[in-house]
Amino acid sequence: MKDIIVVTTENIPGHQYEVIGEVFGVTTQSKNLFKNIGASLKNVVGGEIKAYTEMIHEARNKAITRLKNEAREQGADAVVMMRFDSGSIGGDMQSVVAYGTAVKFID
């Protein structure tokens, strides 16, 4: 299975391409009850809430993996102009979307 190049720029040096279309990778993550309690306590004293930092990091990685899979299914070689969007659902869930434009190399 070939790896899909993902960049946040419009151009990939050394390559010309044709546009296939938009691709998305979506995931929604939550932490378990015990980590939520720990995060609530941390909220009282301040500082980084590592459980939520890890959750967002996991969500971004899963979103990128799903983005690459969708691009691969469409016959793409790469995704350009990749961006993230995220939002909270309730107090303990985080939704992350990775999106960009799937392209096929023509060189």
Side-chain angles (χ1 to χ4, degrees):
M1 183 170 14
K2 70 178 180 179
D3 195 30
I4 300 292
I5 298 168
V6 176
V7 296
T8 58
T9 58
E10 184 176 356
N11 296 307
I12 301 171
H15 292 285
Q16 292 187 11
Y17 56 78
E18 60 185 21
V19 172
I20 295 174
E22 289 183 337
V23 287
F24 299 87
V26 181
T27 186
T28 301
Q29 302 285 312
S30 70
K31 286 295 176 190
N32 66 42
L33 178 62
F34 296 110
K35 291 197 179 197
N36 285 338
I37 292 169
S40 296
L41 294 174
K42 186 69 167 187
N43 194 29
V44 173
V45 297
E48 180 180 7
I49 302 171
K50 291 184 181 178
Y52 283 98
T53 300
E54 291 170 10
M55 179 179 70
I56 291 178
H57 185 72
E58 276 179 36
R60 287 174 59 125
N61 285 338
K62 284 185 181 182
I64 289 174
T65 297
R66 291 177 180 172
L67 172 90
K68 287 180 175 183
N69 288 339
E70 185 173 318
R72 190 177 293 111
E73 289 171 6
Q74 294 185 23
D77 295 309
V79 175
V80 297
M81 299 296 292
M82 193 280 295
R83 300 287 186 262
F84 287 108
D85 194 9
S86 64
S88 296
I89 302 171
D92 62 347
M93 289 184 278
Q94 186 74 26
S95 182
V96 175
V97 179
Y99 62 95
T101 303
V103 299
K104 180 89 175 148
F105 295 145
I106 56 174
D107 48 17

